[in-house]
Amino acid sequence: MVEEVIILADNQQYHKIIRSDYVDNVIRGIRTLGMEVVKFLVRAEERILSDGRRVLLIPTYLAVDDSKSYIIYDQEVVIESVVYKAIERVNEKFRDRNIIFYIPKGGLKIDFTTSAETTNEKSKILVDAPDGYTPELRRFGRGIVIFLKEKGIEVESFVISAQEFYTNFGQKKALKMDIALTLKRGDLKYPKEVMEEFLHEGIRKYEKFLFSTLGISKLKYGNLHIIIPGDIEAPSLVLNQKDKILEEVEAIMSNKDIQELVTILK
């Protein structure tokens, strides 16, 4: 749900046009992607061209809750396309009035956030990776979590540890990943072997995203663990990164209760 919309325009007529023909269309477009705009700020500045036409500069700031997004590819690029499509439509509509709506270069800023309302519903995706890899690996993990959810498997936490290395042939950049996921408490629809097959299927489905965005030549997988709450022996996973040891404590067992705890110690 949109928390705040601010339109700064001296002309009240522009205020109404921007809200109904620009802001509302962008909000609807982003919502179809499974995301919600929590803050929308537009500053309208009019410029008059030599031929008498008016240009309305509309620098725009968006804060978007992407906790339920179905988009794993570059979300910012997708949202930008929604924004500029809305501008095309409003320009088409007001062409006869000699008004041009335009976002100046660098005038569109997008931040991603998670609203308090959806935080508890979101699976925790923890990534330990070299600089520059984390955003894409987080989207990769989100894609797998969504894929598993569609299969009826609810994930509580998804941990990725990645190490960069270079292949012998041509010294091309490659990536090694360890993955561990903890399921939410509840009735399981499948035996563990079937869920492992789904995990492998999800990895194969979304790994091409990593090849295209990270420019790597090879992906190598180390440990792949599925932790089920209530297992007597929940395996621990040691995640190594740049000579640091990252230990994940996956479950603390008791006779009656299972208190899940996932922490990363650096």
Side-chain angles (χ1 to χ4, degrees):
M1 184 175 181
V2 179
E3 293 183 355
E4 186 176 9
V5 174
I6 302 174
I7 301 173
L8 303 177
D10 294 335
N11 189 318
Q12 188 64 23
Q13 179 184 8
Y14 285 147
H15 188 285
K16 294 178 180 179
I17 293 172
I18 291 170
R19 179 61 202 244
S20 62
D21 292 283
Y22 173 56
V23 171
D24 289 349
N25 283 336
V26 171
I27 291 173
R28 283 193 292 268
I30 292 176
R31 188 168 290 154
T32 63
L33 304 173
M35 294 180 271
E36 291 287 343
V37 177
V38 296
K39 183 174 287 188
F40 203 129
L41 171 62
V42 181
R43 181 184 295 276
E45 300 177 14
E46 186 183 57
R47 298 288 187 272
I48 307 297
L49 301 181
S50 58
D51 60 4
R53 289 183 299 167
R54 288 172 291 172
V55 175
L56 196 64
L57 303 177
I58 48 173
T60 299
Y61 168 78
L62 293 170
V64 179
D65 174 17
D66 64 338
S67 60
K68 295 183 178 181
S69 171
Y70 292 99
I71 306 297
I72 69 164
Y73 296 95
D74 197 327
Q75 295 181 130
E76 187 168 351
V77 171
V78 175
I79 290 176
E80 285 177 354
S81 68
V82 171
V83 171
Y84 287 112
K85 186 65 177 178
I87 291 176
E88 288 180 12
R89 290 175 178 172
V90 73
N91 277 331
E92 182 67 25
K93 180 175 180 179
F94 290 94
R95 176 178 296 177
D96 295 338
R97 298 192 191 181
N98 290 324
I99 303 175
I100 301 173
F101 292 79
Y102 178 72
I103 294 181
K105 184 177 180 180
L108 176 60
K109 180 175 174 55
I110 302 168
D111 285 334
F112 293 96
T113 183
T114 302
S115 68
E117 181 180 346
T118 59
T119 297
N120 293 332
E121 300 175 5
K122 183 179 180 182
S123 299
K124 298 175 183 176
I125 300 177
L126 307 176
V127 177
D128 176 68
D131 293 341
Y133 286 85
T134 299
E136 284 73 19
L137 289 176
R138 192 177 299 278
R139 289 170 186 154
F140 168 76
R142 182 185 294 127
I144 296 175
V145 168
I146 292 172
F147 173 79
L148 293 175
K149 185 175 182 179
E150 291 172 349
K151 300 291 185 181
I153 302 171
E154 296 286 344
V155 177
E156 178 69 28
S157 65
F158 194 98
V159 180
I160 300 175
S161 176
Q163 291 177 295
E164 184 183 68
F165 69 98
Y166 290 85
T167 59
N168 292 329
F169 180 74
Q171 289 296 303
K172 294 183 178 180
K173 187 169 61 175
L175 203 64
K176 177 182 179 294
M177 288 196 298
D178 296 300
I179 294 175
L181 61 89
T182 303
L183 304 183
K184 292 183 178 180
R185 292 193 185 98
D187 296 332
L188 299 179
K189 296 183 178 181
Y190 311 99
K192 190 171 184 177
E193 293 76 14
V194 174
M195 291 188 288
E196 288 173 346
E197 291 178 5
F198 284 142
L199 174 59
H200 284 279
E201 185 179 348
I203 289 172
R204 290 192 299 270
K205 180 177 181 180
Y206 291 108
E207 66 180 7
K208 58 184 179 181
F209 161 73
L210 296 180
F211 282 105
S212 63
T213 58
L214 296 179
I216 55 178
S217 62
K218 182 179 180 181
L219 268 175
K220 181 179 179 182
Y221 297 98
N223 296 309
L224 299 177
H225 284 308
I226 295 179
I227 298 95
I228 301 174
D231 278 356
I232 295 177
E233 296 181 357
S236 63
L237 180 64
V238 178
L239 308 176
N240 299 309
Q241 173 61 41
K242 290 183 179 179
D243 299 326
K244 298 177 183 178
I245 297 179
L246 305 173
E247 180 178 358
E248 180 191 11
V249 181
E250 293 163 341
I252 297 177
M253 312 301 299
S254 64
N255 292 333
K256 296 182 180 179
D257 300 315
I258 303 170
Q259 181 182 2
E260 297 173 29
L261 175 63
V262 179
T263 59
I264 293 182
L265 304 177
K266 294 189 177 182

